Amino acid sequence: QKEVEQNSGPLSVPEGAIASLNCTYSDRGSQSFFWYRQYSGKSPELIMSIYSNGDKEDGRFTAQLNKASQYVSLLIRDSQPSDSATYLCAVISSGSARQLTFGSGTQLTVLP
Amino acid sequence: DVKVTQSSRYLVKRTGEKVFLECVQDMDHENMFWYRQDPGLGLRLIYFSYDVKMKEKGDIPEGYSVSREKKERFSLILESASTNQTSMYLCASDQGRGEKLFFGSGTQLSVL
């Protein structure tokens, strides 16, 4: 079974701080990695994708990928209360084209 | 905007009933997916479809079937509902490699 693991949290950070969300995956052949955000009572939405080792920045969000360690992270700089949500890590594993495997999510609360 | 519409937001059924969950997307997407979301378990893929009349099993297909007679519509069927199928069911669509999923608003199904 291909697995995606996340710390369920909850994770609380003060407004303006950096929030760090982590994810590990079991399939070494995985090539595509994603972060979805899900507000309470809403559906998930894609916020970041990363395919190569290193960092990818989009505004206040940075995704980091280390394939050797099978580790993906999401950094949120200058966290805002509106960032409070559950963040889902998702992976397309080798041999599973078009099938996303999701982690259980990390609940983030940004305190004003 | 992409719209994925699920027929019911809340549904209450009895054990043993046959249950139909309907999903319609308006963006001519090829790929459609059914997930269930349970606390602590994240999103788990039940079935997906790449084309009309085509279906593939996901990670947890037992107790479910699907139908895709038209490109825009993907139905999830619980042949004989059981209490362990009480869950939030999310439909999603994607045009491409199954990475950027657009989700419907979900159906909270309770089986009594």
Side-chain angles (χ1 to χ4, degrees):
Chain A
Q1 179 98 19
K2 293 165 183 171
E3 294 182 348
V4 178
E5 300 285 343
Q6 296 181 252
N7 289 330
S8 60
L11 174 66
S12 294
V13 300
E15 184 174 355
I18 296 175
S20 178
L21 306 164
N22 304 315
C23 172
T24 59
Y25 59 94
S26 63
D27 180 18
R28 186 169 289 279
S30 299
Q31 296 296 320
S32 307
F33 308 88
F34 309 90
W35 286 97
Y36 279 74
R37 178 177 62 200
Q38 185 174 25
Y39 291 115
S40 180
K42 302 294 185 182
S43 298
E45 59 176 338
L46 178 67
I47 57 171
M48 290 288 287
S49 59
I50 187 166
Y51 303 94
S52 304
N53 278 330
D55 294 359
K56 179 182 177 183
E57 189 174 315
D58 183 2
R60 295 185 296 109
F61 296 89
T62 299
Q64 299 176 317
L65 174 61
N66 184 326
K67 289 185 178 179
S69 299
Q70 296 176 237
Y71 180 86
V72 191
S73 65
L74 179 70
L75 301 178
I76 306 174
R77 292 183 302 282
D78 188 25
S79 296
Q80 301 297 310
S82 58
D83 296 325
S84 297
T86 296
Y87 290 81
L88 301 163
C89 176
V91 175
I92 292 185
S93 302
S94 58
S96 302
R98 292 185 269 191
Q99 293 181 57
L100 278 173
T101 299
F102 285 86
S104 58
T106 298
Q107 185 179 342
L108 171 67
T109 300
V110 180
L111 303 170
Chain B
D1 281 350
V2 175
K3 189 151 187 178
V4 180
T5 302
Q6 294 185 230
S7 53
S8 304
R9 185 73 177 95
Y10 299 96
L11 209 54
V12 180
K13 295 293 181 180
R14 297 284 183 189
T15 303
E17 281 193 76
K18 190 169 186 176
V19 182
F20 293 86
L21 302 183
E22 306 287 345
C23 176
V24 178
Q25 51 95 1
D26 66 356
M27 284 301 292
D28 202 36
H29 284 174
E30 291 182 348
N31 308 318
M32 296 189 75
F33 306 83
W34 275 105
Y35 286 87
R36 63 178 283 178
Q37 186 171 28
D38 301 287
L41 296 178
L43 281 87
R44 292 180 291 166
L45 182 63
I46 305 171
Y47 267 97
F48 58 101
S49 170
Y50 297 154
D51 202 351
V52 175
K53 296 192 185 295
M54 177 276 174
K55 60 185 178 183
E56 291 283 346
K57 293 180 180 179
D59 296 321
I60 52 164
E62 297 78 18
Y64 303 94
S65 62
V66 290
S67 172
R68 194 167 182 198
E69 296 295 321
K70 293 184 178 182
K71 190 174 185 179
E72 67 271 19
R73 186 180 296 270
F74 192 36
S75 302
L76 180 69
I77 303 156
L78 287 66
E79 295 290 342
S80 177
S82 63
T83 54
N84 63 11
Q85 293 179 310
T86 291
S87 185
M88 171 65 78
Y89 289 88
L90 289 163
C91 175
S93 72
D94 163 79
Q95 181 65 22
R97 297 183 295 176
E99 300 175 354
K100 185 174 183 179
L101 301 186
F102 292 90
F103 285 89
S105 56
T107 296
Q108 179 63 54
L109 173 67
S110 297
V111 182
L112 306 178

